[in-house]
Amino acid sequence: MSINESLLLLVLASSLVPGVIIFFLPESRIRLRTLLNLTGAILKLLLIGYMLWGIQHGQIYILRYNLLLNLELVLKVDALAALFVTLSAALWLLTTFYAVGYLERSPHRSRFFGFFSLCVTATVGVAMAGNLFTFFIFYELLTLSTYPLVVHRGTEAAIRAGNIYLIYTLSGGAVLLVGIIWLYSLLGRVEFMYGGVVTVLDSKYSPQLQIIFLLLIIGLGVKAALVPLHGWLPQAMVAPAPVSALLHAVAVVKAGAFGIIRIVYEVYGVEYLQSMNLLIPLAIAASITIIWGSLCALWQGDLKRRLAYSTVSQVSYIILGMSLFGPVSTIGGIVHLVHQGIMKITLFFCAGNYAETLGIHKISEMNGVGWRMPWTSIAFCIAALGMIGAPLTAGYISKLYLNQGAEIADQMWASWVLTVSSLLNAAYFLPIMYRFWFKTQPQTWVQERIYTKGRWETHGLLLIPPLVSATATLLAGIFADTDWSPLYWVKLIVKREYLL
């Protein structure tokens, strides 16, 4: 086995091995558990950094293992995989810090961090999958590893949410499997390739390919929370804040959106889908989800549920960008995969801080919270303004490219969808910010905890992660044109997909 092949296995092992060891640790081994978690997260980030350097210098990272005659387990890191795997590793490190502080006095921490590490392993496997079969294996492992995290608290509400989550995601997985088996029966093997692989089939297979495309999108649309397949996501908000952050920013919903990107560009090919008139229906489904998610968010009084419906809306920006058939809108869509991740994880970190420090969950309880927890509230406001699309933030860059892409593709109706969505974003985020800073804070909070003799507004491990991700939200917007920004990397990906 070559060094480059070994690197792919090491990236998976850096979270898998610590996770397995942590399962067997007693609850009292706090320092060892934390050391294993952080060592694994930092090692994964270093390995991925080395691979990014290698990709820029022409290195190829691919590993094949033949299971059966036509079934290969393929791991590959191309430019698109590198983008998603970097996002996963970076946000995992931040979330690990946060989770250590958040679960400081909670029971069953070894069980939690064990499944937490397995969840990240599955997400990285989804990112590095080189064919549809490998993708499906890790995609379903992701379902199984996140279920214990959703039901972690063991309450009646958590069990119910977990069951709903399992019913939705396993049903979606079954539909996806039917589509994959059908496609393999036509092609023999389905490896991800620039420009797609189905174009080798004769035109007489077009009706079958249309049905298979529908099955694949439905199967992936469950995790991507496309309306009406999104019902599990708001229910899953009973999970601890680090789990919500991971589900919304990098793991489950992003795995669905990432899968749709693979299907559109590297299984079917965007040119082929355009010729079969399948992109416009996908764009319409994404637009309905964008507006519906924003409208539902308006009426939620619980902060995490409002953020959950915001995710339903924002993830579909990625799908809309791909569906408009043009490189500029594609840049806007794919870069939002990263931008939405850093903004949304900030918002969930902040929601967790308010709940853990002051015992507040509802928006109506947040009057004057900005003066009690200024740094958390500043981070929340930066991320919320990014979601609205305010200048100097990552969200502005996403929406700029999506709007320009809609105009270039002569799909102005999509631009109107984005405008209405931005107005709705403002309608459900600005009132929260107004409460933070312009309403009088109560004399006592619901359940206040004072950390480190009152020197900090909350535990340091809860405060640093949202400050880092909020700073990243600004950096991704202000320095979007630099060679090290997510936008620069996405432009390279799109250049290859559209053969520019």
Side-chain angles (χ1 to χ4, degrees):
M1 184 179 290
S2 68
I3 293 176
N4 285 359
E5 289 173 330
S6 304
L7 273 175
L8 295 165
L9 294 179
L10 283 173
V11 169
L12 288 176
S14 58
S15 50
L16 179 62
V17 173
V20 172
I21 296 172
I22 286 170
F23 273 122
F24 297 100
L25 288 180
E27 284 297 301
S28 57
R29 301 299 300 272
I30 297 172
R31 288 186 177 178
L32 179 57
R33 185 172 52 240
T34 303
L35 180 66
L36 285 168
N37 272 316
L38 294 179
T39 302
I42 292 169
L43 177 61
K44 189 185 290 293
L45 208 51
L46 291 174
L47 290 169
I48 291 169
Y50 180 77
M51 285 202 295
L52 286 175
W53 178 86
I55 290 171
Q56 285 184 318
H57 290 79
Q59 293 288 318
I60 297 172
Y61 298 96
I62 185 164
L63 171 66
R64 297 177 182 278
Y65 182 77
N66 194 31
L67 295 176
L68 296 170
L69 191 60
N70 284 325
L71 281 181
E72 273 189 325
L73 202 62
V74 180
L75 296 175
K76 183 174 70 174
V77 176
D78 54 16
L80 181 59
L83 182 79
F84 190 35
V85 83
T86 305
L87 175 72
S88 304
L91 296 190
W92 181 42
L93 178 60
L94 268 187
T95 311
T96 300
F97 272 108
Y98 187 85
V100 170
Y102 188 90
L103 298 169
E104 191 178 40
R105 291 185 287 187
S106 300
H108 310 302
R109 282 166 292 182
S110 290
R111 184 185 70 191
F112 177 89
F113 281 108
F115 283 112
F116 194 68
S117 296
L118 294 186
C119 170
V120 173
T121 305
T123 305
V124 170
V126 165
M128 298 197 304
N131 63 15
L132 210 42
F133 170 71
T134 311
F135 177 89
F136 181 77
I137 297 294
F138 284 107
Y139 192 75
E140 291 308 302
L141 285 175
L142 182 60
T143 298
L144 299 177
S145 59
T146 45
Y147 170 76
L149 298 175
V150 174
V151 302
H152 176 73
R153 286 183 167 139
T155 62
E156 188 178 336
I159 299 295
R160 181 174 177 275
N163 291 339
I164 292 172
Y165 170 71
L166 214 52
I167 290 169
Y168 268 86
T169 50
L170 289 181
S171 300
V175 175
L176 179 64
L177 181 60
V178 171
I180 291 173
I181 291 173
W182 196 345
L183 200 54
Y184 267 78
S185 71
L186 297 180
L187 288 165
R189 59 179 63 193
V190 186
E191 197 152 326
F192 299 136
M193 291 179 62
Y194 293 121
V197 294
V198 303
T199 49
V200 299
L201 292 173
D202 190 88
S203 60
K204 69 179 182 181
Y205 293 106
S206 294
Q208 291 188 57
L209 289 174
Q210 289 177 331
I211 298 171
I212 293 170
F213 181 73
L214 181 64
L215 291 172
L216 297 176
I217 295 300
I218 290 173
L220 295 166
V222 172
K223 278 199 172 83
L226 275 174
V227 171
L229 308 170
H230 67 291
W232 64 272
L233 192 55
Q235 302 297 327
M237 287 306 92
V238 296
V243 178
S244 300
L246 206 63
L247 291 180
H248 286 254
V250 65
V252 179
V253 293
K254 287 297 172 58
F258 184 76
I260 293 175
I261 293 174
R262 287 289 201 197
I263 296 298
V264 168
Y265 290 108
E266 298 183 354
V267 174
Y268 276 74
V270 68
E271 299 274 355
Y272 187 74
L273 288 173
Q274 176 71 359
S275 70
M276 294 174 72
N277 297 316
L278 288 173
L279 288 178
I280 285 297
L282 189 58
I284 291 171
S287 300
I288 291 170
T289 304
I290 288 170
I291 300 299
W292 178 256
S294 295
L295 286 171
C296 290
L298 271 176
W299 306 109
Q300 305 305 315
D302 182 277
L303 180 58
K304 283 180 70 179
R305 283 184 67 86
R306 183 170 292 196
L307 297 180
Y309 277 106
S310 168
T311 298
V312 171
S313 172
Q314 292 270 341
V315 169
S316 276
Y317 281 35
I318 301 165
I319 301 168
L320 179 63
M322 291 186 296
S323 309
L324 294 179
F325 189 59
V328 177
S329 63
T330 301
I331 290 171
I334 296 180
V335 82
H336 201 56
L337 188 83
V338 178
H339 289 170
Q340 189 270 349
I342 57 178
M343 294 186 293
K344 188 49 66 80
I345 207 165
T346 306
L347 293 170
F348 273 106
F349 283 157
C350 294
N353 285 4
Y354 296 135
E356 278 299 291
T357 311
L358 303 177
I360 55 178
H361 302 267
K362 296 188 180 300
I363 294 164
S364 60
E365 298 169 334
M366 294 180 173
N367 291 353
V369 76
W371 302 106
R372 168 60 182 83
M373 299 181 66
W375 290 108
T376 298
S377 301
I378 289 170
F380 184 97
C381 291
I382 290 171
L385 288 170
M387 287 292 182
I388 295 168
L392 306 181
T393 66
Y396 173 78
I397 300 300
S398 300
K399 293 190 177 185
L400 177 68
Y401 275 84
L402 285 167
N403 272 304
Q404 288 182 349
E407 187 176 343
I408 292 169
D410 199 21
Q411 305 283 353
M412 290 309 297
W413 60 270
S415 190
W416 280 107
V417 168
L418 293 166
T419 302
V420 171
S421 174
S422 292
L423 291 173
L424 290 170
N425 297 159
Y428 64 73
F429 274 126
L430 291 180
I432 300 175
M433 289 187 267
Y434 179 80
R435 279 183 183 275
F436 283 2
W437 305 105
F438 296 102
K439 291 272 190 176
T440 305
Q441 59 179 302
Q443 291 184 340
T444 58
W445 298 98
V446 176
Q447 192 175 2
E448 186 172 13
R449 293 172 62 184
I450 306 295
Y451 290 89
T452 58
K453 299 178 181 178
R455 286 183 298 168
W456 297 94
E457 63 189 49
T458 186
H459 193 299
L461 289 175
L462 300 182
L463 184 57
I464 293 171
L467 292 179
V468 171
S469 53
T471 303
T473 299
L474 290 174
L475 293 177
I478 295 170
F479 298 104
D481 286 332
T482 59
D483 292 352
W484 45 269
S485 70
L487 181 65
Y488 175 79
W489 195 263
V490 170
K491 284 181 177 177
L492 291 179
I493 295 169
V494 173
K495 194 173 179 180
R496 294 180 184 181
E497 297 290 355
Y498 278 89
L499 304 176
L500 297 175

